[in-house]
Amino acid sequence: MSSAPLLEVRGLNAWYGESHVLHGVDLDIREGETVTLLGRNGAGKTTTLRAIMGILRRREGVIRLRGKNLLSLPLHKVAQAGLGYVPEERGIFASLNVSENLTLPPTVSDSGMSVEEIYTLFPNLYERRSSQGTKLSGGEQQMLAIARVLRTGAKVILLDEPTEGLAPVIVQRIGDVLVELKKRGMTILLVEQNFRFAKKVADRFYLMEDGRMVNSFPGHELDARMDELHEVLGV
Amino acid sequence: MSTIFGIPTPALYGQILIGLINGSFYAMLSLGLAVIFGLLRVINFAHGAQYMLGAFAAYLLLNWLGINYWLALVLAPLVVGVIAVVIERTMLSRLYGIDPLYGLLLTFGLALILEGAFRYWFGAAGQPYAAPSQLSGGVNLGFMYLPIYRGWVVIASLVICIGTWLLIEKTRLGAYLRAATENATLVQAFGVNVPLLLTLTYGLGAALAALAGVLAAPIYQVSPLMGSNLIIIVFAVVVVGGMGSILGAIVTGYVLGVLEGLTKVFYPEASSIVIFVVMAIVLLVRPAGLFGREE
Ligand SMILES: Nc1ncnc2c1ncn2[C@@H]1O[C@H](COP(=O)(O)OP(=O)(O)OP(=O)(O)O)[C@@H](O)[C@H]1O
Ligand SMILES: [Mg+2]
């Protein structure tokens, strides 16, 4: 059963000003899949997500969601087309409280979770719903950043290093959440340096180096490829 | 006659009232400036001209079309808001993302053109605009005589300021505005039409200035330069309150208005500079302003 990919990226090039950062990136995600992008610092993982979202405007190539070309859309139309973004820096707003942060992104389809469901999944966000967004701990802010896109009914979620700098128990908790989302059939593009974490959820891996995709393999091959990965990732 | 610090109390209360009236205009105008600056990062030098346009719109609506004050309170802001939307779409929006100096120069140029044009058409002298009959006259409060129109202006400005503050702090639109003020790109990446939000904000800010202009018409005369006289003080108010701080703009507007009034009583020589002295001190001690967030 090789259905057409939900999100399809072909020959993506992207630039920060004059500096050419992505060189012909190809990427496919099928519906319900969790795909993890690996690569060492500066490989271009965040840039790939930003280029797909359209936050980075200088880009060429093909980005299609359910066959619909995203490249020509203005930035706000990309979310409306069904992409949800959880940025590396989390992007929690200081001038909004937790509940305002949660409900900020407009819903794009009716398949999203209700606020009640989200608060059941993240009880600590419910307890702190009236606190200023940036008063939360790093882990809570990460949960909030994830929760925020679950409400919108986005078809594909782009998740940039959700475990970065967090304590092991929080990483564990975020892992549980991702497993839960997977069960619900969510499609996820995950950027992660911690591949022991990614192993729990990833159906497939892409390996990135210097702005190029250098390899791609199914999740169960991760253990067999450890040596190779350690070399490329330098960890 | 009773006195406070050797000042007759009626004179004192009179100056406090004048201070409150002036403060009402400082607050309404600096509020719009702060909202526009916060989101668009544009120092809107046309704000005084938009205030003047509001007053002239009321004047022309009355004298050309016989449209009364109450309708002008609605129509003048609408007209000026639409003009501002056109300005934002055709000119200002091209300057986003580059040095804020360009936005300042553009709006400064627009202000000069508007004021020049109105001076050419109507002359520099002020035109009288009568307060509506429902608000003419005054009441004796016992300790002072209060012209009803002035009381109305203070109350109306409070309602306008609190209403705008509630719109920004308590509504969904306000949440978009606050979030976009922090990180417009991310808000747009979440699917909010931020370019439209910027246009609306500029239009609303200008409409607010025009509304203040209509309120001002019966108090100060309607003249081409009424805005440019005021706008410099209003900039000082915004700086004291903290650039981009909504609450700061409102509170500082009233406080500095009253302070100016009190200075007129106790040390009249300093009354025209007291706001700028406060500004200088605040800039030295707390550069982000009294209500601004230190970065
Ligand atoms: N705003 C920017 N302007 C110019 N160059 C940038 C900018 N952001 C990133 N780069 C460069 O683009 C390249 C890819 O960066 P990117 O942030 O995509 O890496 P990454 O794989 O996400 O790394 P990390 O694991 O550290 O998050 C790097 O060489 C980086 O220096
Ligand atoms: Mg990154």
PDB file of all heavy atoms in Angstrom, chain A residues 53 55 75-76 79-80 85 87 91 93-96 100 103-106 148, chain B residues 169 172 175-176 178-179 182-183 185-193 195:
ATOM      1  N   MET A  53       7.277  25.755   5.799  1.00  0.00           N
ATOM      2  CA  MET A  53       6.210  26.633   6.318  1.00  0.00           C
ATOM      3  C   MET A  53       6.067  27.909   5.503  1.00  0.00           C
ATOM      4  O   MET A  53       5.001  28.516   5.475  1.00  0.00           O
ATOM      5  CB  MET A  53       6.519  27.048   7.766  1.00  0.00           C
ATOM      6  CG  MET A  53       6.108  26.108   8.862  1.00  0.00           C
ATOM      7  SD  MET A  53       4.448  25.469   8.741  1.00  0.00           S
ATOM      8  CE  MET A  53       3.427  26.890   9.099  1.00  0.00           C
ATOM      9  N   ILE A  55       8.092  30.489   6.202  1.00  0.00           N
ATOM     10  CA  ILE A  55       8.627  31.573   7.031  1.00  0.00           C
ATOM     11  C   ILE A  55       9.873  32.125   6.354  1.00  0.00           C
ATOM     12  O   ILE A  55      10.105  33.331   6.302  1.00  0.00           O
ATOM     13  CB  ILE A  55       8.959  31.048   8.442  1.00  0.00           C
ATOM     14  CG1 ILE A  55       7.657  30.729   9.161  1.00  0.00           C
ATOM     15  CG2 ILE A  55       9.791  32.043   9.223  1.00  0.00           C
ATOM     16  CD1 ILE A  55       7.841  30.025  10.469  1.00  0.00           C
ATOM     17  N   LEU A  75       2.261  33.512   3.532  1.00  0.00           N
ATOM     18  CA  LEU A  75       2.553  32.752   4.751  1.00  0.00           C
ATOM     19  C   LEU A  75       1.303  32.280   5.498  1.00  0.00           C
ATOM     20  O   LEU A  75       1.209  31.119   5.890  1.00  0.00           O
ATOM     21  CB  LEU A  75       3.440  33.614   5.655  1.00  0.00           C
ATOM     22  CG  LEU A  75       3.837  33.056   7.024  1.00  0.00           C
ATOM     23  CD1 LEU A  75       4.465  31.683   6.886  1.00  0.00           C
ATOM     24  CD2 LEU A  75       4.808  34.009   7.711  1.00  0.00           C
ATOM     25  N   HIS A  76       0.313  33.143   5.695  1.00  0.00           N
ATOM     26  CA  HIS A  76      -0.829  32.736   6.527  1.00  0.00           C
ATOM     27  C   HIS A  76      -1.704  31.681   5.848  1.00  0.00           C
ATOM     28  O   HIS A  76      -2.473  31.002   6.515  1.00  0.00           O
ATOM     29  CB  HIS A  76      -1.659  33.945   6.954  1.00  0.00           C
ATOM     30  CG  HIS A  76      -2.148  34.797   5.828  1.00  0.00           C
ATOM     31  ND1 HIS A  76      -1.384  35.787   5.271  1.00  0.00           N
ATOM     32  CD2 HIS A  76      -3.307  34.807   5.157  1.00  0.00           C
ATOM     33  CE1 HIS A  76      -2.053  36.376   4.306  1.00  0.00           C
ATOM     34  NE2 HIS A  76      -3.228  35.800   4.204  1.00  0.00           N
ATOM     35  N   ALA A  79      -0.675  27.715   6.873  1.00  0.00           N
ATOM     36  CA  ALA A  79      -1.329  27.096   8.030  1.00  0.00           C
ATOM     37  C   ALA A  79      -2.760  26.713   7.663  1.00  0.00           C
ATOM     38  O   ALA A  79      -3.243  25.630   8.032  1.00  0.00           O
ATOM     39  CB  ALA A  79      -1.319  28.064   9.214  1.00  0.00           C
ATOM     40  N   GLN A  80      -3.419  27.588   6.934  1.00  0.00           N
ATOM     41  CA  GLN A  80      -4.805  27.303   6.546  1.00  0.00           C
ATOM     42  C   GLN A  80      -4.881  26.075   5.639  1.00  0.00           C
ATOM     43  O   GLN A  80      -5.894  25.370   5.628  1.00  0.00           O
ATOM     44  CB  GLN A  80      -5.426  28.534   5.860  1.00  0.00           C
ATOM     45  CG  GLN A  80      -5.656  29.684   6.850  1.00  0.00           C
ATOM     46  CD  GLN A  80      -5.902  31.028   6.157  1.00  0.00           C
ATOM     47  OE1 GLN A  80      -6.137  31.091   4.956  1.00  0.00           O
ATOM     48  NE2 GLN A  80      -5.840  32.109   6.928  1.00  0.00           N
ATOM     49  N   TYR A  85       2.930  24.326  13.016  1.00  0.00           N
ATOM     50  CA  TYR A  85       4.362  24.530  13.259  1.00  0.00           C
ATOM     51  C   TYR A  85       4.650  24.708  14.744  1.00  0.00           C
ATOM     52  O   TYR A  85       4.032  25.530  15.418  1.00  0.00           O
ATOM     53  CB  TYR A  85       4.804  25.774  12.477  1.00  0.00           C
ATOM     54  CG  TYR A  85       6.265  26.121  12.573  1.00  0.00           C
ATOM     55  CD1 TYR A  85       7.257  25.161  12.372  1.00  0.00           C
ATOM     56  CD2 TYR A  85       6.658  27.425  12.838  1.00  0.00           C
ATOM     57  CE1 TYR A  85       8.598  25.497  12.441  1.00  0.00           C
ATOM     58  CE2 TYR A  85       8.004  27.781  12.898  1.00  0.00           C
ATOM     59  CZ  TYR A  85       8.964  26.812  12.698  1.00  0.00           C
ATOM     60  OH  TYR A  85      10.289  27.146  12.757  1.00  0.00           O
ATOM     61  N   PRO A  87       7.848  25.765  16.676  1.00  0.00           N
ATOM     62  CA  PRO A  87       9.215  26.222  16.403  1.00  0.00           C
ATOM     63  C   PRO A  87      10.211  25.763  17.468  1.00  0.00           C
ATOM     64  O   PRO A  87       9.833  25.453  18.599  1.00  0.00           O
ATOM     65  CB  PRO A  87       9.083  27.743  16.398  1.00  0.00           C
ATOM     66  CG  PRO A  87       7.874  28.045  17.186  1.00  0.00           C
ATOM     67  CD  PRO A  87       6.948  26.870  17.044  1.00  0.00           C
ATOM     68  N   GLY A  91       8.240  29.770  20.830  1.00  0.00           N
ATOM     69  CA  GLY A  91       7.362  30.857  20.415  1.00  0.00           C
ATOM     70  C   GLY A  91       6.154  31.056  21.301  1.00  0.00           C
ATOM     71  O   GLY A  91       5.059  31.322  20.813  1.00  0.00           O
ATOM     72  N   PHE A  93       4.030  33.374  23.696  1.00  0.00           N
ATOM     73  CA  PHE A  93       3.921  34.825  23.760  1.00  0.00           C
ATOM     74  C   PHE A  93       3.815  35.305  25.206  1.00  0.00           C
ATOM     75  O   PHE A  93       2.977  34.838  25.969  1.00  0.00           O
ATOM     76  CB  PHE A  93       2.715  35.304  22.958  1.00  0.00           C
ATOM     77  CG  PHE A  93       2.857  35.014  21.497  1.00  0.00           C
ATOM     78  CD1 PHE A  93       2.236  33.914  20.930  1.00  0.00           C
ATOM     79  CD2 PHE A  93       3.651  35.818  20.691  1.00  0.00           C
ATOM     80  CE1 PHE A  93       2.388  33.629  19.582  1.00  0.00           C
ATOM     81  CE2 PHE A  93       3.816  35.533  19.344  1.00  0.00           C
ATOM     82  CZ  PHE A  93       3.177  34.438  18.789  1.00  0.00           C
ATOM     83  N   ALA A  94       4.672  36.269  25.556  1.00  0.00           N
ATOM     84  CA  ALA A  94       4.718  36.778  26.926  1.00  0.00           C
ATOM     85  C   ALA A  94       3.492  37.613  27.258  1.00  0.00           C
ATOM     86  O   ALA A  94       3.056  37.652  28.404  1.00  0.00           O
ATOM     87  CB  ALA A  94       5.983  37.605  27.121  1.00  0.00           C
ATOM     88  N   SER A  95       2.923  38.271  26.259  1.00  0.00           N
ATOM     89  CA  SER A  95       1.785  39.152  26.549  1.00  0.00           C
ATOM     90  C   SER A  95       0.451  38.409  26.510  1.00  0.00           C
ATOM     91  O   SER A  95      -0.600  39.019  26.639  1.00  0.00           O
ATOM     92  CB  SER A  95       1.766  40.324  25.564  1.00  0.00           C
ATOM     93  OG  SER A  95       1.781  39.854  24.251  1.00  0.00           O
ATOM     94  N   LEU A  96       0.504  37.072  26.354  1.00  0.00           N
ATOM     95  CA  LEU A  96      -0.712  36.264  26.368  1.00  0.00           C
ATOM     96  C   LEU A  96      -0.625  35.263  27.513  1.00  0.00           C
ATOM     97  O   LEU A  96       0.459  34.743  27.801  1.00  0.00           O
ATOM     98  CB  LEU A  96      -0.859  35.500  25.044  1.00  0.00           C
ATOM     99  CG  LEU A  96      -1.541  36.198  23.870  1.00  0.00           C
ATOM    100  CD1 LEU A  96      -0.820  37.472  23.486  1.00  0.00           C
ATOM    101  CD2 LEU A  96      -1.616  35.266  22.677  1.00  0.00           C
ATOM    102  N   GLU A 100      -4.832  31.949  26.323  1.00  0.00           N
ATOM    103  CA  GLU A 100      -4.798  32.754  25.090  1.00  0.00           C
ATOM    104  C   GLU A 100      -3.759  32.222  24.108  1.00  0.00           C
ATOM    105  O   GLU A 100      -3.988  32.192  22.895  1.00  0.00           O
ATOM    106  CB  GLU A 100      -4.471  34.213  25.416  1.00  0.00           C
ATOM    107  CG  GLU A 100      -5.614  34.978  26.059  1.00  0.00           C
ATOM    108  CD  GLU A 100      -5.172  36.364  26.523  1.00  0.00           C
ATOM    109  OE1 GLU A 100      -4.015  36.525  26.958  1.00  0.00           O
ATOM    110  OE2 GLU A 100      -5.989  37.286  26.450  1.00  0.00           O
ATOM    111  N   THR A 103      -5.250  29.151  22.396  1.00  0.00           N
ATOM    112  CA  THR A 103      -6.311  29.349  21.406  1.00  0.00           C
ATOM    113  C   THR A 103      -5.942  30.385  20.349  1.00  0.00           C
ATOM    114  O   THR A 103      -6.781  30.749  19.534  1.00  0.00           O
ATOM    115  CB  THR A 103      -7.623  29.790  22.094  1.00  0.00           C
ATOM    116  OG1 THR A 103      -7.354  30.938  22.887  1.00  0.00           O
ATOM    117  CG2 THR A 103      -8.174  28.692  22.985  1.00  0.00           C
ATOM    118  N   LEU A 104      -4.695  30.836  20.365  1.00  0.00           N
ATOM    119  CA  LEU A 104      -4.298  31.866  19.382  1.00  0.00           C
ATOM    120  C   LEU A 104      -4.429  31.408  17.934  1.00  0.00           C
ATOM    121  O   LEU A 104      -5.058  32.088  17.129  1.00  0.00           O
ATOM    122  CB  LEU A 104      -2.873  32.350  19.670  1.00  0.00           C
ATOM    123  CG  LEU A 104      -2.407  33.456  18.715  1.00  0.00           C
ATOM    124  CD1 LEU A 104      -2.970  34.806  19.141  1.00  0.00           C
ATOM    125  CD2 LEU A 104      -0.894  33.525  18.645  1.00  0.00           C
ATOM    126  N   PRO A 105      -3.846  30.264  17.542  1.00  0.00           N
ATOM    127  CA  PRO A 105      -3.896  29.921  16.111  1.00  0.00           C
ATOM    128  C   PRO A 105      -5.331  29.600  15.688  1.00  0.00           C
ATOM    129  O   PRO A 105      -6.009  28.809  16.342  1.00  0.00           O
ATOM    130  CB  PRO A 105      -3.016  28.669  16.010  1.00  0.00           C
ATOM    131  CG  PRO A 105      -2.220  28.630  17.260  1.00  0.00           C
ATOM    132  CD  PRO A 105      -3.077  29.275  18.306  1.00  0.00           C
ATOM    133  N   PRO A 106      -5.807  30.214  14.623  1.00  0.00           N
ATOM    134  CA  PRO A 106      -7.160  29.918  14.153  1.00  0.00           C
ATOM    135  C   PRO A 106      -7.262  28.442  13.750  1.00  0.00           C
ATOM    136  O   PRO A 106      -6.294  27.851  13.281  1.00  0.00           O
ATOM    137  CB  PRO A 106      -7.309  30.804  12.909  1.00  0.00           C
ATOM    138  CG  PRO A 106      -6.228  31.815  13.000  1.00  0.00           C
ATOM    139  CD  PRO A 106      -5.128  31.214  13.787  1.00  0.00           C
ATOM    140  N   ARG A 148      -0.849  23.822  21.243  1.00  0.00           N
ATOM    141  CA  ARG A 148      -1.372  24.914  20.424  1.00  0.00           C
ATOM    142  C   ARG A 148      -1.715  24.478  18.999  1.00  0.00           C
ATOM    143  O   ARG A 148      -2.716  24.920  18.446  1.00  0.00           O
ATOM    144  CB  ARG A 148      -0.296  26.008  20.413  1.00  0.00           C
ATOM    145  CG  ARG A 148      -0.705  27.315  19.866  1.00  0.00           C
ATOM    146  CD  ARG A 148       0.237  28.404  20.319  1.00  0.00           C
ATOM    147  NE  ARG A 148       1.627  28.145  19.957  1.00  0.00           N
ATOM    148  CZ  ARG A 148       2.626  28.980  20.220  1.00  0.00           C
ATOM    149  NH1 ARG A 148       2.400  30.109  20.860  1.00  0.00           N
ATOM    150  NH2 ARG A 148       3.853  28.693  19.878  1.00  0.00           N
TER     151      ARG A 148
ATOM    152  N   GLU B 169      -6.854  43.948  25.443  1.00  0.00           N
ATOM    153  CA  GLU B 169      -6.496  42.975  26.484  1.00  0.00           C
ATOM    154  C   GLU B 169      -7.447  41.789  26.573  1.00  0.00           C
ATOM    155  O   GLU B 169      -7.069  40.734  27.081  1.00  0.00           O
ATOM    156  CB  GLU B 169      -6.448  43.678  27.847  1.00  0.00           C
ATOM    157  CG  GLU B 169      -5.270  44.628  28.013  1.00  0.00           C
ATOM    158  CD  GLU B 169      -3.923  43.941  27.873  1.00  0.00           C
ATOM    159  OE1 GLU B 169      -3.770  42.809  28.365  1.00  0.00           O
ATOM    160  OE2 GLU B 169      -3.025  44.532  27.244  1.00  0.00           O
ATOM    161  N   ARG B 172     -10.222  38.424  21.187  1.00  0.00           N
ATOM    162  CA  ARG B 172      -9.411  37.607  20.308  1.00  0.00           C
ATOM    163  C   ARG B 172      -8.585  38.478  19.366  1.00  0.00           C
ATOM    164  O   ARG B 172      -7.401  38.232  19.150  1.00  0.00           O
ATOM    165  CB  ARG B 172     -10.364  36.710  19.518  1.00  0.00           C
ATOM    166  CG  ARG B 172      -9.686  35.678  18.765  1.00  0.00           C
ATOM    167  CD  ARG B 172     -10.601  34.540  18.352  1.00  0.00           C
ATOM    168  NE  ARG B 172      -9.773  33.591  17.684  1.00  0.00           N
ATOM    169  CZ  ARG B 172      -8.996  32.743  18.302  1.00  0.00           C
ATOM    170  NH1 ARG B 172      -8.994  32.685  19.611  1.00  0.00           N
ATOM    171  NH2 ARG B 172      -8.222  31.937  17.615  1.00  0.00           N
ATOM    172  N   ALA B 175      -5.758  39.727  21.197  1.00  0.00           N
ATOM    173  CA  ALA B 175      -4.723  38.706  21.392  1.00  0.00           C
ATOM    174  C   ALA B 175      -3.859  38.592  20.138  1.00  0.00           C
ATOM    175  O   ALA B 175      -2.632  38.475  20.229  1.00  0.00           O
ATOM    176  CB  ALA B 175      -5.356  37.356  21.734  1.00  0.00           C
ATOM    177  N   TYR B 176      -4.481  38.647  18.965  1.00  0.00           N
ATOM    178  CA  TYR B 176      -3.693  38.655  17.721  1.00  0.00           C
ATOM    179  C   TYR B 176      -2.750  39.843  17.712  1.00  0.00           C
ATOM    180  O   TYR B 176      -1.574  39.729  17.356  1.00  0.00           O
ATOM    181  CB  TYR B 176      -4.614  38.767  16.493  1.00  0.00           C
ATOM    182  CG  TYR B 176      -5.423  37.542  16.177  1.00  0.00           C
ATOM    183  CD1 TYR B 176      -6.615  37.634  15.457  1.00  0.00           C
ATOM    184  CD2 TYR B 176      -5.003  36.275  16.573  1.00  0.00           C
ATOM    185  CE1 TYR B 176      -7.376  36.518  15.153  1.00  0.00           C
ATOM    186  CE2 TYR B 176      -5.759  35.154  16.273  1.00  0.00           C
ATOM    187  CZ  TYR B 176      -6.939  35.280  15.569  1.00  0.00           C
ATOM    188  OH  TYR B 176      -7.683  34.179  15.271  1.00  0.00           O
ATOM    189  N   ARG B 178      -1.592  41.659  20.256  1.00  0.00           N
ATOM    190  CA  ARG B 178      -0.493  41.558  21.227  1.00  0.00           C
ATOM    191  C   ARG B 178       0.558  40.563  20.747  1.00  0.00           C
ATOM    192  O   ARG B 178       1.759  40.824  20.811  1.00  0.00           O
ATOM    193  CB  ARG B 178      -1.042  41.118  22.589  1.00  0.00           C
ATOM    194  CG  ARG B 178      -1.611  42.257  23.415  1.00  0.00           C
ATOM    195  CD  ARG B 178      -2.243  41.744  24.692  1.00  0.00           C
ATOM    196  NE  ARG B 178      -3.532  41.121  24.438  1.00  0.00           N
ATOM    197  CZ  ARG B 178      -4.001  40.058  25.072  1.00  0.00           C
ATOM    198  NH1 ARG B 178      -3.271  39.462  26.001  1.00  0.00           N
ATOM    199  NH2 ARG B 178      -5.192  39.574  24.784  1.00  0.00           N
ATOM    200  N   ALA B 179       0.093  39.403  20.272  1.00  0.00           N
ATOM    201  CA  ALA B 179       1.039  38.377  19.827  1.00  0.00           C
ATOM    202  C   ALA B 179       1.847  38.867  18.629  1.00  0.00           C
ATOM    203  O   ALA B 179       3.064  38.689  18.571  1.00  0.00           O
ATOM    204  CB  ALA B 179       0.296  37.099  19.491  1.00  0.00           C
ATOM    205  N   GLU B 182       4.680  41.001  19.399  1.00  0.00           N
ATOM    206  CA  GLU B 182       5.876  40.282  19.837  1.00  0.00           C
ATOM    207  C   GLU B 182       6.584  39.587  18.674  1.00  0.00           C
ATOM    208  O   GLU B 182       7.812  39.627  18.568  1.00  0.00           O
ATOM    209  CB  GLU B 182       5.503  39.206  20.866  1.00  0.00           C
ATOM    210  CG  GLU B 182       5.251  39.727  22.250  1.00  0.00           C
ATOM    211  CD  GLU B 182       5.001  38.570  23.215  1.00  0.00           C
ATOM    212  OE1 GLU B 182       5.832  37.650  23.283  1.00  0.00           O
ATOM    213  OE2 GLU B 182       3.946  38.583  23.876  1.00  0.00           O
ATOM    214  N   ASN B 183       5.817  38.879  17.847  1.00  0.00           N
ATOM    215  CA  ASN B 183       6.433  38.077  16.784  1.00  0.00           C
ATOM    216  C   ASN B 183       5.430  37.907  15.637  1.00  0.00           C
ATOM    217  O   ASN B 183       4.680  36.938  15.591  1.00  0.00           O
ATOM    218  CB  ASN B 183       6.846  36.718  17.351  1.00  0.00           C
ATOM    219  CG  ASN B 183       7.617  35.880  16.341  1.00  0.00           C
ATOM    220  OD1 ASN B 183       7.613  36.168  15.144  1.00  0.00           O
ATOM    221  ND2 ASN B 183       8.283  34.851  16.816  1.00  0.00           N
ATOM    222  N   THR B 185       5.809  37.315  12.453  1.00  0.00           N
ATOM    223  CA  THR B 185       6.015  36.209  11.521  1.00  0.00           C
ATOM    224  C   THR B 185       5.381  34.928  12.048  1.00  0.00           C
ATOM    225  O   THR B 185       4.694  34.214  11.306  1.00  0.00           O
ATOM    226  CB  THR B 185       7.518  35.977  11.305  1.00  0.00           C
ATOM    227  OG1 THR B 185       8.101  37.203  10.888  1.00  0.00           O
ATOM    228  CG2 THR B 185       7.751  34.927  10.237  1.00  0.00           C
ATOM    229  N   LEU B 186       5.583  34.656  13.320  1.00  0.00           N
ATOM    230  CA  LEU B 186       5.038  33.421  13.885  1.00  0.00           C
ATOM    231  C   LEU B 186       3.504  33.456  13.885  1.00  0.00           C
ATOM    232  O   LEU B 186       2.850  32.461  13.571  1.00  0.00           O
ATOM    233  CB  LEU B 186       5.579  33.199  15.302  1.00  0.00           C
ATOM    234  CG  LEU B 186       5.203  31.863  15.935  1.00  0.00           C
ATOM    235  CD1 LEU B 186       5.692  30.704  15.084  1.00  0.00           C
ATOM    236  CD2 LEU B 186       5.771  31.762  17.344  1.00  0.00           C
ATOM    237  N   VAL B 187       2.938  34.609  14.225  1.00  0.00           N
ATOM    238  CA  VAL B 187       1.484  34.729  14.225  1.00  0.00           C
ATOM    239  C   VAL B 187       0.942  34.479  12.814  1.00  0.00           C
ATOM    240  O   VAL B 187      -0.059  33.791  12.631  1.00  0.00           O
ATOM    241  CB  VAL B 187       1.046  36.113  14.754  1.00  0.00           C
ATOM    242  CG1 VAL B 187      -0.448  36.304  14.580  1.00  0.00           C
ATOM    243  CG2 VAL B 187       1.414  36.246  16.215  1.00  0.00           C
ATOM    244  N   GLN B 188       1.644  34.999  11.827  1.00  0.00           N
ATOM    245  CA  GLN B 188       1.200  34.761  10.452  1.00  0.00           C
ATOM    246  C   GLN B 188       1.382  33.292  10.069  1.00  0.00           C
ATOM    247  O   GLN B 188       0.546  32.709   9.372  1.00  0.00           O
ATOM    248  CB  GLN B 188       1.945  35.673   9.470  1.00  0.00           C
ATOM    249  CG  GLN B 188       1.225  35.761   8.134  1.00  0.00           C
ATOM    250  CD  GLN B 188       1.897  36.684   7.138  1.00  0.00           C
ATOM    251  OE1 GLN B 188       2.879  37.354   7.459  1.00  0.00           O
ATOM    252  NE2 GLN B 188       1.381  36.720   5.925  1.00  0.00           N
ATOM    253  N   ALA B 189       2.468  32.672  10.557  1.00  0.00           N
ATOM    254  CA  ALA B 189       2.683  31.258  10.281  1.00  0.00           C
ATOM    255  C   ALA B 189       1.593  30.397  10.923  1.00  0.00           C
ATOM    256  O   ALA B 189       1.361  29.265  10.504  1.00  0.00           O
ATOM    257  CB  ALA B 189       4.065  30.818  10.769  1.00  0.00           C
ATOM    258  N   PHE B 190       0.916  30.917  11.939  1.00  0.00           N
ATOM    259  CA  PHE B 190      -0.208  30.200  12.542  1.00  0.00           C
ATOM    260  C   PHE B 190      -1.497  30.390  11.752  1.00  0.00           C
ATOM    261  O   PHE B 190      -2.543  29.873  12.124  1.00  0.00           O
ATOM    262  CB  PHE B 190      -0.437  30.674  13.981  1.00  0.00           C
ATOM    263  CG  PHE B 190       0.554  30.123  14.956  1.00  0.00           C
ATOM    264  CD1 PHE B 190       0.909  30.847  16.078  1.00  0.00           C
ATOM    265  CD2 PHE B 190       1.134  28.883  14.760  1.00  0.00           C
ATOM    266  CE1 PHE B 190       1.835  30.340  16.989  1.00  0.00           C
ATOM    267  CE2 PHE B 190       2.046  28.377  15.666  1.00  0.00           C
ATOM    268  CZ  PHE B 190       2.398  29.109  16.771  1.00  0.00           C
ATOM    269  N   GLY B 191      -1.447  31.190  10.690  1.00  0.00           N
ATOM    270  CA  GLY B 191      -2.625  31.315   9.839  1.00  0.00           C
ATOM    271  C   GLY B 191      -3.391  32.615  10.009  1.00  0.00           C
ATOM    272  O   GLY B 191      -4.470  32.775   9.450  1.00  0.00           O
ATOM    273  N   VAL B 192      -2.843  33.554  10.794  1.00  0.00           N
ATOM    274  CA  VAL B 192      -3.519  34.841  10.945  1.00  0.00           C
ATOM    275  C   VAL B 192      -3.064  35.764   9.816  1.00  0.00           C
ATOM    276  O   VAL B 192      -1.871  35.845   9.519  1.00  0.00           O
ATOM    277  CB  VAL B 192      -3.183  35.479  12.314  1.00  0.00           C
ATOM    278  CG1 VAL B 192      -3.814  36.855  12.432  1.00  0.00           C
ATOM    279  CG2 VAL B 192      -3.642  34.575  13.444  1.00  0.00           C
ATOM    280  N   ASN B 193      -4.013  36.440   9.200  1.00  0.00           N
ATOM    281  CA  ASN B 193      -3.679  37.353   8.113  1.00  0.00           C
ATOM    282  C   ASN B 193      -3.074  38.636   8.698  1.00  0.00           C
ATOM    283  O   ASN B 193      -3.757  39.633   8.915  1.00  0.00           O
ATOM    284  CB  ASN B 193      -4.941  37.647   7.303  1.00  0.00           C
ATOM    285  CG  ASN B 193      -4.637  38.406   6.033  1.00  0.00           C
ATOM    286  OD1 ASN B 193      -3.580  39.027   5.917  1.00  0.00           O
ATOM    287  ND2 ASN B 193      -5.539  38.347   5.080  1.00  0.00           N
ATOM    288  N   PRO B 195      -0.854  40.880   7.471  1.00  0.00           N
ATOM    289  CA  PRO B 195      -0.914  42.128   6.694  1.00  0.00           C
ATOM    290  C   PRO B 195      -2.249  42.860   6.864  1.00  0.00           C
ATOM    291  O   PRO B 195      -2.283  44.088   7.000  1.00  0.00           O
ATOM    292  CB  PRO B 195      -0.734  41.646   5.243  1.00  0.00           C
ATOM    293  CG  PRO B 195       0.056  40.396   5.375  1.00  0.00           C
ATOM    294  CD  PRO B 195      -0.413  39.746   6.650  1.00  0.00           C
TER     295      PRO B 195
END
